[in-house]
Amino acid sequence: MREVTRLYSDRVVLGEGEALRVVAATLTLGPEQIEAVEEGLRREDALDLSGKLLTPAFVNAHTHVAMSAFRGIGGLASKRGNVVEELYFRLESALQSGDIRAFARMGAWEALLCGTGTVWDHYYGGYELVRALQDVGLGGAVAFTMQDLDGPGKRGAEAAAAVVQALDGDHEAAAQGIVPVLGPHATDTVSEQLWRDIADMAEGWDLPIHAHCAQSVDEVQRAWDRHGCSPVQWLERIGVLGVGSRVLLVHGLYVDDADLAVLAARNVALGFCPASQAWYDFPAHLRSWRAAGVPWVLGTDAGACNDTMNIQAELRLPGLGDGFGPTWAPTHDAVRAGGGRAAAVAQHQARQDWFSGGQDTLGPAQVLASVWATPGALHSRMRCGVLQPGARADVVAWDLSHPSLWPALDPLHALVHGDAAPAIHAMWRGGRAVGQIGDFHGSLLRSEAFRAHRVEAAERLERLLGRVGLR
Ligand SMILES: [Zn+2]
């Protein structure tokens, strides 16, 4: 008889998109997928988790887990008079065999400890990234960065394509929830020919494409100089957006309404990484993406530009971010200029207008869709982010009596706006408990694997910093 795990709770999050409901149910988890969901039924042989909220594990739709090793390095670099971007290039060019695996494990541990089951990663190093995810037990839709015009992966495009094929035939990795994705770096670092080749591979192999697009003013200017149009219009013109598989374009800071119309018509998803974008440029204009009907997903981006791999910490930003709008409105210039009573009234009215224009419609279920069902449906080989038969058996049990979530009168609101990670009671990946039930964080942090990984990563980082003259 095959081994299955049965979990029961009176609070299981079923449904997807905006139609989430919290109900009593028994989940039957197989070694890879959820085998059954029995709503309203309590099976005798199920582990009773009553009072705990059972949800799908999170999907972090854009990150570079290996770059957690560069967290805070901007400050270190500026002391030496270096420019951060030059420094990343120098660091990435000085990486040695084994470094990416060691650094990626640390980012993967952080993601796992925050209830993430799957990361959409995009980086160099080929199979080292896959091995790191396997070492830790994290799932991944892994894009091996391809670029031929500029960047550290230049000349590595053919090798990256070979790794994609190897991973596509790797059944052990697939069973662990690790699947390949095509990863062109961006519109200004990848030639038209390579983009066309990648589109053909996506079509032929039925794999999604994950790329950066309209992420910097430099990229936008290069698109206009080279092609006479925006990055999105160029990708549409050369056929990339019309491939049969899904396309995920991340950042989209400079997309206009015409771009959004194209993306909506092509069902292309945009990736929103609010904290990272606020550091590097500015947060994307999510409100217009939503108005245009473009599917959107949430990511942390890298530890080097966000400082956390905790996707749950981003959940409050899509809604709360709107609250910063009135701070920068012209009406507040009038308040500070001494406009008195009338200026205060005008500022408050601007705030009311701002909120009625979108904030009140972005409820917890819509935000959670950006880390559950929407990214969980991007890959044809792996459904995740939803508790239904056939989806990955990646489940998190949240302790609603933990001070960080209590009293959880609206558990989905608490999950979006609270600091939920400390309240993880247990987690299952591929139907198997991760660490100890009831001592999730402690058992992982005390594990031999984690401690060995931390020692190796620290030693390798010291040597890397020495090689580039930062020690
Ligand atoms: Zn990125």
Side-chain angles (χ1 to χ4, degrees):
M1 214 178 82
R2 284 191 325 113
E3 209 178 306
V4 296
T5 300
R6 283 211 170 87
L7 310 177
Y8 169 81
S9 174
D10 53 351
R11 297 181 187 198
V12 182
V13 178
L14 300 183
E16 59 181 283
E18 293 169 36
L20 295 181
R21 57 191 194 281
V22 182
V23 295
T26 295
L27 305 176
T28 301
L29 310 182
E32 295 172 35
Q33 300 178 348
I34 296 173
E35 300 196 344
V37 176
E38 295 168 290
E39 190 171 342
L41 186 75
R42 178 177 181 163
R43 289 240 173 215
E44 289 286 308
D45 59 345
L47 177 65
D48 187 359
L49 293 159
S50 293
K52 308 290 187 291
L53 183 73
L54 299 189
T55 73
F58 292 131
V59 182
N60 181 349
H62 180 72
T63 188
H64 318 274
V65 284
M67 291 182 77
S68 284
F70 305 152
R71 173 152 43 197
I73 209 160
L76 194 62
S78 61
K79 289 195 192 95
R80 308 288 175 108
N82 290 314
V83 177
V84 172
E85 281 175 26
E86 283 175 10
L87 183 76
Y88 286 151
F89 186 86
R90 266 170 60 207
L91 285 165
E92 285 168 345
S93 300
L95 289 170
Q96 291 183 347
S97 175
D99 283 350
I100 288 177
R101 183 172 180 171
F103 297 157
R105 284 172 185 150
M106 293 302 286
W109 278 114
E110 189 189 358
L112 191 71
L113 285 160
C114 300
T116 304
T118 304
V119 289
W120 278 64
D121 204 280
H122 200 303
Y123 209 55
Y124 315 101
Y127 243 77
E128 284 200 43
L129 198 50
V130 175
R131 296 286 178 236
L133 297 178
Q134 290 176 317
D135 294 341
V136 172
L138 185 66
V142 182
F144 306 103
T145 305
M146 297 175 171
Q147 53 199 178
D148 61 345
L149 297 180
D150 202 6
K154 203 176 155 185
R155 294 185 299 274
E158 271 177 40
V163 179
V164 169
Q165 267 191 302
L167 183 55
D168 205 21
D170 185 335
H171 301 296
E172 187 191 350
Q176 295 164 328
I178 302 174
V179 290
V181 170
L182 291 159
H185 176 260
T187 65
D188 57 341
T189 50
V190 176
S191 68
E192 177 173 339
Q193 186 56 53
L194 183 53
W195 269 108
R196 287 181 185 276
D197 291 346
I198 289 169
D200 287 345
M201 289 182 237
E203 193 83 55
W205 301 340
D206 185 27
L207 291 175
I209 293 174
H210 177 188
H212 301 90
C213 183
Q215 66 166 339
S216 71
V217 71
D218 293 333
E219 183 198 353
V220 172
Q221 291 188 98
R222 284 182 195 121
W224 282 97
D225 290 346
R226 293 173 189 172
H227 319 301
C229 63
S230 73
V232 168
Q233 299 293 344
W234 182 60
L235 292 180
E236 169 68 356
R237 190 200 295 167
I238 63 175
V240 172
L241 304 185
V243 297
S245 49
R246 296 296 300 274
V247 178
L248 167 60
L249 299 179
V250 178
H251 297 317
L253 302 186
Y254 296 92
V255 295
D256 65 17
D257 290 345
D259 292 337
L260 290 172
V262 168
L263 297 174
R266 294 294 195 184
N267 198 27
V268 169
L270 280 174
F272 184 42
C273 307
S276 158
Q277 290 168 357
W279 270 114
Y280 266 56
D281 215 338
F282 58 90
H285 201 278
L286 180 64
R287 191 180 283 208
S288 59
W289 299 5
R290 291 171 51 219
V294 177
W296 62 280
V297 295
L298 205 60
T300 56
D301 213 344
C305 55
N306 180 347
D307 296 284
T308 180
M309 288 286 102
N310 181 3
I311 187 67
Q312 193 271 332
E314 305 286 306
L315 288 175
R316 63 194 344 221
L317 297 176
L320 204 58
D322 272 11
F324 288 86
T327 308
W328 309 103
T331 47
H332 201 269
D333 295 343
V335 170
R336 298 194 314 285
R341 184 179 187 281
V345 170
Q347 168 67 7
H348 182 68
Q349 188 56 48
R351 186 263 181 211
Q352 299 302 84
D353 294 346
W354 183 261
F355 270 65
S356 61
Q359 158 74 15
D360 53 355
T361 61
L362 193 60
Q366 284 173 303
V367 176
L368 288 163
S370 73
V371 291
W372 284 345
T374 308
L378 286 175
H379 206 296
S380 65
R381 309 267 204 283
M382 182 174 68
R383 184 80 172 106
C384 53
V386 61
L387 299 180
Q388 67 183 32
R392 284 279 314 168
D394 297 351
V395 180
V396 179
W398 305 88
D399 179 2
L400 297 178
S401 67
H402 190 283
S404 68
L405 294 180
W406 184 88
L409 298 175
D410 178 344
L412 297 181
H413 178 93
L415 192 56
V416 169
H417 292 281
D419 174 18
I424 298 178
H425 174 76
M427 181 173 178
W428 291 261
R429 275 210 71 254
R432 292 229 307 259
V434 179
Q436 282 172 29
I437 295 169
D439 184 24
F440 175 70
H441 299 101
S443 60
L444 294 182
L445 294 173
R446 287 191 307 271
S447 69
E448 267 179 46
F450 171 73
R451 291 190 298 182
H453 293 169
R454 183 170 56 187
V455 167
E456 184 182 344
E459 288 172 357
R460 285 179 174 276
L461 182 59
E462 274 303 306
R463 290 203 295 271
L464 174 65
L465 294 176
R467 287 199 295 278
V468 299
L470 283 169
R471 273 285 187 273

